[in-house]
Amino acid sequence: MEERVPEKEYMYSGHVACPGCGAAVAMKLFLKALGDKTVLIIPACCWSIIAGPYPQSALKVPVLHAAFETGGATASGVRAALDIKGQSDTTVVTWAGDGGTFDIGFQSLSGAAERNDDFIYACYDNEAYMNTGIQRSSSTPYGAWTTTTPGKEWKKMRKKNIVEALAAHRIPYAATLNIAFPEDFVAKVKKAKSKKGTRFLHIYASCPTGWRLPSEQSIKIARMAVQTNIFPLYEVDEGLHYTINYFPKEFPVKEYFRMQGRFKHLSDKDLEEIQKMVDEDWRILLRKAEMFP
Amino acid sequence: MKQVLEGSQAVAEAVKLARVDVISAYPITPQTHIVERLSDFGAEGKISAKYLRVESEHSALAALIGAATGGARTFTSTSSQGLALMHELLHWASGARLPIVMAEVNRALAPGWNIWADQTDSLAQRDTGWIQLYCENSQEVLDSTLIAYNLAETVNLPAMIILDAFYLSHTYEPVDVPEQDLVDRFLPSLKPKFQIDQDDPQAFSSLVTPNAYMEMRYNIAQAMDETISQLDSIEGKFHDIFGRRYGAIESVQCEDADIVMVTSGTITSTCRQVIRDLRAQGEKVGLCKIKMFRPFPIDAIRSTLQNANKIAVIDRNFSFGATGIFAQEIRAALCNLPRRPLVFGYVAGLGGRDVTTGIIESIYRCTKDTDVPLSESIWIGLQEVSDGRARS
């Protein structure tokens, strides 16, 4: 699925993201796709800073900054108030990082998803607590260095599969998006907007600062994540129907890992193990798409 | 119309009369009768509020922060562990200047598990920027809830209506439930001073650097100070319509009293009886009930207490390493007076233990018979005394 990226801008140029920030690109695409009548809730994350300090704002839509673990519940409350006031046509969005989604905000998100409250929850995933200085989260991939998984203590656990966790709530729509695939990105945001209930978007957002990557390679690494099956593009409708949006040719994961400083300690043998994990995850996804079209 | 209601039901009636837009709550004993009653009202079509049945107290308050920023009149209710879990967002609600109203049923904090009356839960939240109104009976609960909405929306600060577990939350009393049209006159629909607006997109609660944060906190302090005088004028309006008012504090026979007892919550009712009995015996004793704890009505407390020789503060709460919390605040309020009474602090009734007329009278006698107060609180009615400090 593909849609043209709309012209209208909803971000000002004076935001304070790092050079090459994938989360900034993600927001730009996201708001273009949603258009007017959007309210953003931003629990603590990089975007709490990127949006700019009082009295400024880098965004042309209303923004409610919220406590770290409240992304789901705050959206439920905003939705309720807007519905009471007859503004049901306004799209309520929580825009959260991976820490606020996979970890501290998971309970609040799960509660809102179980209630099927009517909002879009967008997680831009840069795979660690980047705003506080690159600490590991449950979204940090196997093998990664962070400031709390340094040296030999590099992360030995797999990344939590957040899309499966949300799909298990049987919400109307869950999907993966990637900043290097803007037409697919825009189409999925528009599809999410057209549905009612809790919609979950998992957005790959590269972080040159935290991944130890030259900033000009931010989009390239994002594209490679899809091409290597590290971050497959797919959708789950009603928690049940799987659609894979992109079938890559067989790209090995090795180059993806070798480009990033956060993985430089990994041996070729470690990368072979990781390749097996990625292959296994991809096979599972293919099976699901076959069994539950 | 007079109805026989629990304190919990009086809260629910007031929430209905206040035409609340969004309710969000999580169950905890002994708050449950409030949220159950409101759920019934919803199921019976008696209220049109959106009711968010969230997965924790933390989310209950988070949802209301969202709803109140969206321009809705909001309500939640909790107790003890639930209030403690909300702590972070209590600060958030006041910092964001949102007029959220909460009914908080005073219950002891664990461990060990104890569901009975104890004020430490709400008093531990004294620095969070919430207005705190401690209630004595079901009528006061209902009236104070309506007053709290008016007050909170006037000064743009959140407000807590506080009632003792079981002694008030689960005790039936006759309550005059006001007519809807009169309540509408007292409490018109909410006109938010700011809210989410598509035509005027603002960023709420964004990053604030040191050059603005302090002024924002000072604004909250000013709003708190203003709350004392606003309570007076809002209660004046309430009195004009309903014929009842309570005051930030209530003074009972303090004018000529040698000893003034200071109480809050339901212990006050028991103390009223003790004062009557002691007065009949010729004792010069008065009672000062503290209803409003935040903001602390220092001027009213000073003028009520300054002529007494001794003050006996009864605290159903305790701050470890310090004293009973009301006693601390009373001492602080009086310390700069040129002639100040002696302040005796007593801790009684923790974890729901009954505070009887006999206990209150023993507190009076202890105060009368002691020349100089201890700097510590005196724990009343301890069954095991290991350090010799407790008296009964």
Side-chain angles (χ1 to χ4, degrees):
Chain A
M1 59 194 290
E2 291 194 358
E3 282 242 14
R4 275 197 59 209
V5 178
E7 293 294 318
K8 189 171 174 184
E9 292 284 351
Y10 289 87
M11 266 174 73
Y12 293 103
S13 57
H15 67 76
V16 293
C18 302
C21 173
V25 178
M27 178 69 94
K28 181 185 171 86
L29 291 172
F30 185 73
L31 290 180
K32 278 171 171 283
L34 277 183
D36 296 328
K37 293 199 174 178
T38 300
V39 177
L40 283 185
I41 293 136
I42 305 184
C45 61
C46 287
W47 256 99
S48 308
I49 309 302
I50 299 172
Y54 169 86
Q56 297 165 318
S57 177
L59 299 168
K60 299 179 185 177
V61 297
V63 179
L64 172 53
H65 292 272
F68 209 165
E69 66 282 53
T70 66
T74 308
S76 299
V78 170
R79 175 80 278 159
L82 296 184
D83 285 350
I84 283 269
K85 288 166 37 174
Q87 297 175 23
S88 295
D89 57 341
T90 295
T91 305
V92 175
V93 176
T94 294
W95 180 264
D98 49 288
T101 303
F102 289 60
D103 291 345
I104 196 168
F106 190 67
Q107 174 182 324
S108 177
L109 167 58
S110 174
E114 183 270 335
R115 296 189 298 274
N116 199 24
D117 284 337
D118 185 26
F119 72 109
I120 296 174
Y121 191 107
C123 170
Y124 68 94
D125 182 4
N126 51 28
E127 301 195 321
Y129 291 87
M130 297 312 185
N131 194 36
T132 44
I134 324 169
Q135 294 85 22
R136 70 87 92 179
S137 74
S138 64
S139 173
T140 301
Y142 179 95
W145 161 92
T146 68
T147 56
T148 51
T149 53
K152 288 178 183 167
E153 297 290 324
W154 52 267
K155 194 182 172 201
K156 309 292 193 305
M157 303 86 183
R158 277 170 169 258
K159 179 185 175 95
K160 187 187 283 182
N161 191 331
I162 197 72
V163 175
E164 290 302 309
L166 268 294
H169 288 71
R170 302 288 288 267
I171 53 174
Y173 188 58
T176 63
L177 292 73
N178 186 302
I179 54 170
F181 294 79
E183 293 83 4
D184 176 86
F185 189 118
V186 168
K188 283 173 176 167
V189 175
K190 287 191 169 182
K191 182 173 173 182
K193 185 183 176 178
S194 73
K195 291 179 175 260
K196 286 275 177 198
T198 306
R199 294 140 282 168
F200 182 78
L201 303 178
H202 182 206
I203 304 170
Y204 182 99
S206 36
C207 175
T209 308
W211 296 0
R212 301 299 192 237
L213 178 79
S215 58
E216 69 275 15
Q217 292 181 18
S218 189
I219 300 296
K220 182 179 181 187
I221 203 79
R223 185 177 303 115
M224 287 173 71
V226 173
Q227 290 171 334
T228 53
N229 286 331
I230 288 168
F231 190 88
L233 291 178
Y234 70 107
E235 301 166 281
V236 190
D237 287 281
E238 307 300 334
L240 212 54
H241 306 292
Y242 284 72
T243 308
I244 298 174
N245 309 106
Y246 184 87
F247 290 88
K249 301 186 183 78
E250 298 277 313
F251 276 102
V253 299
K254 192 170 176 180
E255 191 189 345
Y256 175 89
F257 278 80
R258 288 294 179 226
M259 280 171 65
Q260 303 179 55
R262 62 173 170 160
F263 297 120
K264 69 177 181 198
H265 52 275
L266 296 178
S267 66
D268 283 348
K269 192 164 171 294
D270 293 329
L271 292 181
E272 284 166 25
E273 284 302 308
I274 290 169
Q275 182 70 60
K276 281 182 199 160
M277 292 181 202
V278 171
D279 291 346
E280 182 185 35
D281 286 348
W282 176 244
R283 276 200 305 276
I284 293 168
L285 183 61
L286 286 174
R287 282 295 298 278
K288 283 180 179 163
E290 277 171 35
M291 290 174 67
F292 305 106
Chain B
M1 191 179 77
K2 286 263 185 189
Q3 294 183 33
V4 179
L5 297 176
E6 284 183 337
S8 297
Q9 294 167 346
V11 172
E13 289 292 333
V15 171
K16 174 158 74 81
L17 289 165
R19 298 187 189 277
V20 167
D21 297 312
V22 179
I23 298 165
S24 182
Y26 184 81
I28 181 169
T29 304
Q31 152 266 35
T32 35
H33 285 191
I34 297 171
V35 295
E36 288 169 4
R37 185 85 160 187
L38 288 170
S39 299
D40 287 342
F41 286 160
E44 293 159 7
K46 291 178 180 167
I47 57 172
S48 57
K50 292 261 178 192
Y51 191 141
L52 299 169
R53 292 160 182 88
V54 289
E55 84 299 331
S56 72
E57 289 90 351
H58 197 277
S59 283
L61 192 48
L64 294 193
I65 287 167
T69 313
R73 182 174 282 164
T74 56
F75 176 78
T76 189
S77 179
T78 191
S79 289
S80 179
Q81 311 297 128
L83 186 67
L85 185 60
M86 285 180 177
H87 175 78
E88 178 198 25
L89 297 179
L90 295 176
H91 284 282
W92 198 288
S94 60
R97 304 298 302 272
L98 299 172
I100 296 165
V101 172
M102 172 196 302
E104 140 65 18
V105 185
N106 272 142
R107 161 186 158 175
L109 286 153
W113 286 119
N114 178 301
I115 58 171
W116 295 278
D118 189 306
Q119 298 172 321
T120 310
D121 60 346
S122 57
L123 290 169
Q125 308 300 341
R126 61 179 155 172
D127 301 332
T128 57
W130 282 62
I131 298 163
Q132 291 198 348
L133 303 172
Y134 289 78
C135 297
E136 183 185 351
N137 57 51
S138 296
Q139 186 70 60
E140 187 177 359
V141 164
L142 188 149
D143 294 348
S144 300
T145 306
L146 297 174
I147 289 164
Y149 275 104
N150 200 321
L151 191 57
E153 291 166 11
T154 300
V155 298
N156 264 86
L157 287 174
M160 239 179 247
I161 302 301
I162 299 160
L163 52 157
D164 287 332
F166 300 105
Y167 293 118
L168 188 44
S169 64
H170 288 56
T171 301
Y172 282 90
E173 293 180 309
V175 177
D176 188 358
V177 179
E179 298 299 322
Q180 183 69 61
D181 59 331
L182 294 179
V183 174
D184 290 344
R185 187 137 60 89
F186 172 71
L187 184 67
S189 58
L190 171 63
K191 290 177 189 62
K193 295 187 182 71
F194 54 84
Q195 61 185 312
I196 293 166
D197 182 356
Q198 293 297 325
D199 298 325
D200 180 24
Q202 301 283 330
F204 299 94
S205 303
S206 55
L207 177 71
V208 180
T209 55
N211 66 12
Y213 182 86
M214 200 159 158
E215 284 71 18
M216 289 181 177
R217 296 289 126 168
Y218 184 63
N219 284 342
I220 297 171
Q222 285 179 309
M224 265 292 178
D225 291 346
E226 189 197 335
T227 301
I228 295 174
S229 58
Q230 286 292 353
L231 177 73
D232 194 51
S233 67
I234 288 166
E235 279 204 331
K237 190 177 163 191
F238 190 87
H239 182 265
D240 289 345
I241 301 173
F242 304 107
R244 293 183 295 273
R245 68 184 306 159
Y246 300 91
I249 66 167
E250 181 188 344
S251 168
V252 181
Q253 294 188 282
C254 290
E255 297 76 18
D256 65 338
D258 285 332
I259 297 176
V260 173
M261 315 286 284
V262 176
T263 62
S264 58
T266 54
I267 291 176
T268 306
S269 297
T270 316
C271 197
R272 289 181 196 275
Q273 181 62 45
V274 175
I275 301 297
R276 275 195 291 273
D277 295 346
L278 289 171
R279 278 276 171 179
Q281 297 165 30
E283 300 291 330
K284 291 176 85 173
V285 58
L287 165 65
C288 176
K289 163 187 165 178
I290 299 184
K291 175 192 177 77
M292 180 184 262
F293 181 74
R294 279 293 179 272
F296 200 59
I298 289 175
D299 291 340
I301 284 168
R302 281 180 177 166
S303 62
T304 299
L305 301 185
Q306 64 185 354
N307 294 323
N309 291 317
K310 293 175 177 175
I311 310 297
V313 185
I314 304 178
D315 272 300
R316 181 174 250 158
N317 62 78
F318 195 68
S319 172
F320 297 110
T323 66
I325 294 168
F326 278 90
Q328 290 175 24
E329 302 262 343
I330 297 284
R331 286 191 194 98
L334 300 179
C335 77
N336 285 335
L337 288 175
R339 180 210 166 275
R340 54 185 178 268
L342 298 168
V343 178
F344 294 72
Y346 299 90
V347 173
L350 299 190
R353 190 175 293 185
D354 203 7
V355 178
T356 61
T357 53
I359 285 173
I360 294 173
E361 188 171 338
S362 75
I363 288 170
Y364 172 76
R365 299 282 174 204
C366 177
T367 307
K368 190 179 180 187
D369 296 344
T370 308
D371 291 334
V372 181
L374 297 171
S375 51
E376 310 91 51
S377 297
I378 296 172
W379 290 58
I380 297 296
L382 287 182
Q383 290 166 28
E384 290 177 30
V385 181
S386 58
D387 62 0
R389 217 180 273 156
R391 303 172 194 186
S392 59

